[in-house]
Each structure stands twice: as structure tokens, then as C-alpha cells.
Amino acid sequence: QEAEKAARAEATEPRGVLRVSAPAPFASIYIAPLLPAFMQQHLEIRIDLHVTAEVVDLVADGFDLAIRLCPKNDPSAIVRRLGSSSIIAVAAPGLFADAPLPARPEDLAGLPVIANAAYPDRGIWHLKGADRTSEVEVNPVVITNCSEVLHRLVLDGVGMGQICACNVAEDLRTGRLLHLLPDWRVVDVPILAVYPDNRQIAAKVRSFVDFLARRLPGALASETVATVHAGKTSGRKSRTKEAAQA
């Protein structure tokens, strides 16, 4: 009876442990900064945040909610879109210290890249422009299944990389990375809240998803501003170097 009473209370009032799965570094950049405000509003909720690149099984692994940056979801789950980002091409400024920045997709041909092991065509970059697509053969000097390793090596100037814009917004803002070919992108990425389709969704899940739906768009908007600014800066640097070499 006590267990049933507790379950009924959780269904109607935000309380108890909320088990959340979220990918790195999105969890540290966007989810963690929002937790203090959420927990201040909901004093009876405790957060169990599991950070992983894996797509967890919500039911089998016992999660109330997953934040995902991919369209892959459990067919029986409820999905709520919280926002979107894009995979973009980036590089450390030092990688082009002695050469002009790429102005066209063709300029990337043969250049060193840090490749994501999850991508089937690691030696080919597929880019989308406003009215056409382009495929460019690049040179994978490192292949890794870890997004943090990929990010680190790109920052160190080992090669270019394709990284979610929301994960490099601060690097673009501070100039640690440059947004290459800002008029081109790899793919748009939905940011989703995914939770089991139970008959009665717990109030703690509803409260957290509603909170993220209100607060995440503002945080993601600053990412867009940083990306656009970095793109304009990259374009100016490219034109300046080309003019100097003319």
C-alpha cells in the first residue's frame, strides 16, 4: 500500500528520483547549467544524470527520460522536440596559419581530418549548401568513436572535424575554433526529449521536459549567434589572406 501511495503521489506531484540520460558534452554545456534553477523550483526532485554517447534502452535500463541529438528513438516512446542544431565543419586557426581558409567545398580536398568512427564514409565529407550538395575526399589522420577525443584533437590543430554546433559554440565565440564554409552544413540535428509511453506520465518527467522546452531554446540561440559570428570572421580572414597572396 505504501508503494502504491508513493507511485500515485509521483504521478501527480513532482517528486522522487528523476533518472536522465544525456550525451556529452551537451549534458555539461546545456543541461547541467539549468539544473540548479530546476531543482530550486522542485525541492522534492533528485536528479540522477547519466552521461553517455550510447542510445540507452529507457525501460530496460530504468531511465525516466533521455535527451538525444539524433532521430533514433524507441518506437514505443514519446518524443518531444526541444530544439535543433547542425553538424558543421570546424578547425583550429593554426591549421591554416600558412594557407588561406577554404572558400569552397573543393578546397577541403585532401586536408587532414579527425573522423568520427560512427560515420560510414570517413574519407568523404558530404556537405549541403543552399541549393546543392557536395562530396569531398578528405584525409582521415585519426579515427575515433569518442566525440570528446575528436573535439580535443581538432582544438589541437591535428585536423579538421565535423562537430555539432551546440558543442563548439564557446570555442567559436572565443576564436579557439573557426567555422569553415559557414554557408554549408553536414546535417541538421534535432534535440529531443524521449520518455516511455506510460499510461500515466510521472509529474517529475512532465515538469523537467516542460522546463527544458522553456529554457533550452534561449541557450541554443546563443549558439547560433556564436556560429554566425565565427562564420563571418572566417570569411573575412579567408578574403584577407587571398588578397595578400594576390
Side-chain angles (χ1 to χ4, degrees):
Q1 287 184 341
E2 291 298 323
E4 291 179 4
K5 187 182 296 183
R8 284 196 299 270
E10 282 197 17
T12 57
E13 300 175 20
R15 62 170 60 185
V17 177
L18 178 64
R19 295 202 71 217
V20 181
S21 169
F26 187 85
S28 59
I29 297 173
Y30 292 97
I31 302 299
L34 296 178
L35 290 183
F38 176 76
M39 297 181 73
Q40 196 169 31
Q41 294 176 20
H42 302 281
L43 299 178
E44 296 192 38
I45 292 181
R46 299 185 303 282
I47 305 293
D48 180 356
L49 179 59
H50 183 75
V51 179
T52 177
E54 301 295 325
V55 177
V56 300
D57 185 314
L58 294 170
V59 176
D61 296 330
F63 285 97
D64 298 300
L65 169 73
I67 306 301
R68 294 179 181 163
L69 278 67
C70 68
K72 182 179 179 181
N73 295 302
D74 304 329
S76 60
I78 296 174
V79 178
R80 181 168 174 182
R81 188 183 181 95
L82 300 174
S84 66
S85 188
S86 297
I87 303 294
I88 60 173
V90 296
L95 193 64
F96 296 98
D98 300 318
L101 290 173
R104 305 167 303 166
E106 295 77 21
D107 296 338
L108 302 176
L111 295 180
V113 302
I114 313 302
N116 190 325
Y119 293 176
D121 297 329
R122 297 162 189 167
I124 299 178
W125 273 17
H126 303 269
L127 300 169
K128 297 179 181 180
D131 54 7
R132 69 185 182 98
T133 59
S134 180
E135 293 185 358
V136 184
E137 288 192 23
V138 291
N139 176 27
V141 292
V142 176
I143 299 172
T144 177
N145 67 340
C146 177
S147 61
E148 291 172 315
V149 169
L150 191 156
H151 188 180
R152 180 71 262 168
L153 292 176
V154 172
L155 282 169
D156 289 342
V158 179
M160 304 177 296
Q162 295 180 336
I163 304 179
C164 191
C166 64
N167 291 337
V168 293
E170 185 62 21
D171 296 321
L172 296 172
R173 189 178 295 111
T174 59
R176 290 192 296 266
L177 290 179
L178 300 175
H179 183 183
L180 305 177
L181 303 177
D183 294 330
W184 297 77
R185 68 192 190 286
V186 181
V187 67
D188 291 326
V189 180
I191 300 171
L192 308 172
V194 185
Y195 43 100
D197 186 9
N198 298 328
R199 183 177 302 178
Q200 196 171 35
I201 305 301
K204 60 185 178 183
V205 174
R206 288 198 307 272
S207 297
F208 192 56
V209 172
D210 288 345
F211 177 83
L212 292 179
R214 291 192 304 270
R215 299 292 292 271
L216 266 181
L220 293 169
S222 64
E223 161 230 311
T224 302
V225 171
T227 303
V228 171
H229 174 74
K232 290 180 179 178
T233 302
S234 298
R236 287 196 297 270
K237 289 182 179 178
S238 178
R239 289 190 293 273
T240 300
K241 286 195 174 183
E242 288 174 351
Q245 293 177 348

